[in-house]
Coordinates of all heavy atoms in Angstrom, one line a residue:
D272 N 0.9 -1.2 0.0 CA 0.0 0.0 0.0 C 0.9 1.2 0.0 O 2.0 1.2 0.5 CB -0.9 0.0 1.2 CG -2.0 1.0 1.1 OD1 -2.3 1.4 0.0 OD2 -2.5 1.4 2.2
M273 N 0.4 2.3 -0.5 CA 1.2 3.6 -0.6 C 1.2 4.3 0.8 O 2.2 4.8 1.2 CB 0.6 4.5 -1.6 CG 1.5 5.7 -1.9 SD 3.1 5.2 -2.7 CE 2.5 4.9 -4.4
R274 N 0.1 4.2 1.6 CA 0.1 4.8 2.9 C 0.2 3.8 4.0 O -0.7 2.9 4.1 CB -1.2 5.6 3.0 CG -1.4 6.7 2.0 CD -2.7 7.4 2.2 NE -2.8 8.1 3.5 CZ -3.9 8.8 3.9 NH1 -4.9 8.9 3.1 NH2 -3.9 9.4 5.0
L275 N 1.2 3.9 4.8 CA 1.4 3.0 5.9 C 1.7 3.7 7.2 O 2.1 4.9 7.2 CB 2.7 2.1 5.6 CG 2.5 1.2 4.3 CD1 3.8 0.6 3.9 CD2 1.5 0.0 4.7
P276 N 1.5 3.1 8.3 CA 1.5 3.8 9.6 C 2.9 4.5 9.9 O 2.9 5.6 10.5 CB 1.2 2.7 10.7 CG 0.5 1.6 9.9 CD 1.0 1.7 8.5
D277 N 4.0 3.9 9.5 CA 5.3 4.4 9.8 C 6.1 4.9 8.6 O 7.3 5.0 8.6 CB 6.1 3.4 10.6 CG 6.3 2.1 9.8 OD1 5.5 1.9 8.9 OD2 7.2 1.3 10.2
G278 N 5.4 5.2 7.5 CA 6.1 5.6 6.3 C 5.2 5.5 5.1 O 3.9 5.4 5.2
D279 N 5.7 5.5 3.9 CA 4.9 5.3 2.7 C 5.5 4.3 1.8 O 6.7 3.8 1.9 CB 4.6 6.6 2.0 CG 5.9 7.3 1.4 OD1 6.9 6.6 1.3 OD2 5.8 8.5 1.1
G280 N 4.8 3.9 0.8 CA 5.2 2.9 -0.2 C 6.4 3.3 -1.0 O 7.2 2.5 -1.4
L281 N 6.5 4.7 -1.2 CA 7.6 5.2 -2.0 C 9.0 4.9 -1.3 O 10.0 4.5 -1.9 CB 7.5 6.7 -2.3 CG 6.3 7.1 -3.2 CD1 6.3 8.6 -3.3 CD2 6.5 6.5 -4.5
E282 N 9.0 5.1 0.0 CA 10.2 4.8 0.8 C 10.5 3.3 0.7 O 11.7 2.9 0.5 CB 9.9 5.2 2.3 CG 11.1 4.8 3.2 CD 10.7 4.9 4.7 OE1 9.7 5.5 5.0 OE2 11.4 4.2 5.5
L283 N 9.5 2.5 0.7 CA 9.7 1.0 0.7 C 10.2 0.6 -0.7 O 11.1 -0.2 -0.8 CB 8.5 0.3 1.1 CG 8.6 -1.2 1.3 CD1 9.6 -1.5 2.4 CD2 7.2 -1.8 1.7
V284 N 9.6 1.1 -1.8 CA 10.1 0.8 -3.1 C 11.6 1.2 -3.3 O 12.3 0.4 -3.8 CB 9.2 1.6 -4.2 CG1 9.9 1.4 -5.6 CG2 7.8 1.1 -4.2
D285 N 11.9 2.4 -2.8 CA 13.3 2.8 -2.9 C 14.3 1.9 -2.1 O 15.3 1.5 -2.6 CB 13.4 4.2 -2.4 CG 14.8 4.9 -2.7 OD1 15.3 4.6 -3.8 OD2 15.3 5.7 -1.9
W286 N 13.8 1.5 -0.9 CA 14.6 0.5 -0.1 C 14.8 -0.8 -0.8 O 15.9 -1.4 -0.8 CB 14.0 0.4 1.3 CG 14.8 -0.5 2.2 CD1 15.7 0.0 3.1 CD2 14.7 -1.9 2.4 NE1 16.2 -1.1 3.8 CE2 15.6 -2.2 3.4 CE3 13.9 -2.9 1.8 CZ2 15.7 -3.6 3.8 CZ3 14.1 -4.2 2.2 CH2 15.0 -4.5 3.2
I287 N 13.7 -1.3 -1.4 CA 13.8 -2.6 -2.1 C 14.8 -2.6 -3.2 O 15.5 -3.6 -3.5 CB 12.4 -3.0 -2.5 CG1 11.5 -3.4 -1.3 CG2 12.4 -4.2 -3.5 CD1 10.1 -3.7 -1.7
Q288 N 14.8 -1.5 -4.0 CA 15.8 -1.4 -5.1 C 17.2 -1.6 -4.7 O 18.1 -2.1 -5.5 CB 15.6 -0.1 -5.9 CG 14.2 0.2 -6.4 CD 13.6 -1.0 -7.1 OE1 14.1 -1.5 -8.1 NE2 12.4 -1.4 -6.6
T289 N 17.5 -1.2 -3.5 CA 18.9 -1.3 -2.9 C 19.1 -2.6 -2.2 O 20.2 -3.3 -2.3 CB 19.2 -0.2 -2.0 OG1 19.0 1.1 -2.7 CG2 20.6 -0.2 -1.5
N290 N 18.1 -3.1 -1.5 CA 18.3 -4.2 -0.5 C 17.7 -5.5 -1.0 O 18.0 -6.6 -0.5 CB 17.8 -3.8 0.8 CG 18.5 -2.7 1.4 OD1 19.6 -2.8 2.0 ND2 17.9 -1.5 1.3
A291 N 16.8 -5.5 -1.9 CA 16.1 -6.7 -2.4 C 15.7 -6.5 -3.9 O 14.6 -6.7 -4.3 CB 14.9 -7.0 -1.6
A292 N 16.7 -6.1 -4.7 CA 16.5 -5.7 -6.1 C 15.9 -6.8 -7.0 O 15.2 -6.4 -8.0 CB 17.8 -5.2 -6.7
D293 N 16.0 -8.0 -6.6 CA 15.4 -9.1 -7.4 C 13.9 -9.3 -7.2 O 13.3 -10.1 -7.9 CB 16.1 -10.4 -7.1 CG 17.6 -10.4 -7.6 OD1 17.9 -9.6 -8.5 OD2 18.4 -11.2 -7.0
V294 N 13.4 -8.6 -6.2 CA 11.9 -8.7 -5.9 C 11.1 -7.7 -6.6 O 11.2 -6.5 -6.3 CB 11.7 -8.6 -4.4 CG1 10.2 -8.9 -4.1 CG2 12.5 -9.6 -3.6
P295 N 10.3 -8.1 -7.6 CA 9.4 -7.1 -8.2 C 8.4 -6.6 -7.2 O 7.8 -7.3 -6.5 CB 8.7 -7.9 -9.4 CG 9.5 -9.2 -9.5 CD 10.1 -9.4 -8.2
V296 N 8.2 -5.3 -7.2 CA 7.2 -4.7 -6.3 C 6.2 -3.8 -7.0 O 6.5 -3.0 -7.9 CB 8.0 -3.8 -5.2 CG1 8.8 -2.8 -5.9 CG2 7.0 -3.2 -4.2
A297 N 4.9 -4.0 -6.7 CA 3.8 -3.2 -7.2 C 3.2 -2.5 -6.1 O 3.1 -3.0 -4.9 CB 2.8 -4.1 -7.9
V298 N 2.8 -1.2 -6.3 CA 2.2 -0.4 -5.3 C 0.7 -0.3 -5.5 O 0.2 -0.3 -6.6 CB 2.8 1.0 -5.3 CG1 4.3 0.9 -4.9 CG2 2.7 1.7 -6.6
I299 N 0.0 -0.1 -4.4 CA -1.5 0.1 -4.3 C -1.7 1.5 -4.0 O -1.3 2.0 -2.9 CB -2.1 -0.9 -3.4 CG1 -1.8 -2.3 -3.7 CG2 -3.6 -0.7 -3.4 CD1 -2.2 -3.3 -2.7
T300 N -2.4 2.3 -4.8 CA -2.7 3.7 -4.6 C -4.2 4.0 -4.4 O -5.0 3.2 -4.9 CB -2.1 4.6 -5.7 OG1 -2.9 4.3 -6.9 CG2 -0.7 4.2 -6.0
A301 N -4.5 5.1 -3.8 CA -5.8 5.6 -3.8 C -6.3 5.9 -5.2 O -5.5 6.3 -6.1 CB -6.0 6.8 -2.9
H302 N -7.6 5.8 -5.4 CA -8.1 6.0 -6.8 C -7.8 7.4 -7.2 O -8.0 8.4 -6.5 CB -9.7 5.8 -6.8 CG -10.3 6.1 -8.1 ND1 -10.1 5.2 -9.2 CD2 -11.1 7.1 -8.5 CE1 -10.7 5.7 -10.2 NE2 -11.4 6.8 -9.9
G303 N -7.3 7.5 -8.4 CA -7.0 8.8 -9.0 C -5.6 9.4 -8.6 O -5.3 10.5 -9.1
N304 N -4.9 8.8 -7.7 CA -3.6 9.3 -7.3 C -2.5 8.8 -8.2 O -1.6 8.1 -7.9 CB -3.3 8.9 -5.9 CG -2.2 9.7 -5.2 OD1 -1.6 10.5 -5.9 ND2 -2.0 9.5 -4.0
I305 N -2.6 9.3 -9.5 CA -1.7 8.9 -10.5 C -0.3 9.4 -10.2 O 0.7 8.7 -10.6 CB -2.2 9.3 -11.9 CG1 -3.5 8.6 -12.3 CG2 -1.1 9.0 -13.0 CD1 -3.4 7.1 -12.4
E306 N -0.2 10.6 -9.7 CA 1.1 11.2 -9.4 C 2.0 10.3 -8.6 O 3.2 10.1 -8.8 CB 1.0 12.6 -8.8 CG 0.4 13.7 -9.7 CD -1.1 13.6 -9.8 OE1 -1.7 12.8 -9.0 OE2 -1.7 14.2 -10.7
K307 N 1.4 9.8 -7.5 CA 2.2 8.9 -6.6 C 2.6 7.6 -7.3 O 3.7 7.1 -7.2 CB 1.3 8.5 -5.4 CG 1.2 9.6 -4.3 CD 2.5 9.7 -3.5 CE 2.3 10.6 -2.3 NZ 3.6 10.7 -1.5
A308 N 1.7 7.1 -8.2 CA 2.0 5.9 -8.9 C 3.1 6.1 -9.9 O 4.0 5.3 -10.0 CB 0.7 5.5 -9.7

């Protein structure tokens, strides 16, 4: 999910690219929030 209690999905996506780059990650956004996507 994009909105999480202790951060957001963007932070996690960025972390995964460095620490678990082999894992494909898809994000879940609120309807119409294309900018975040």
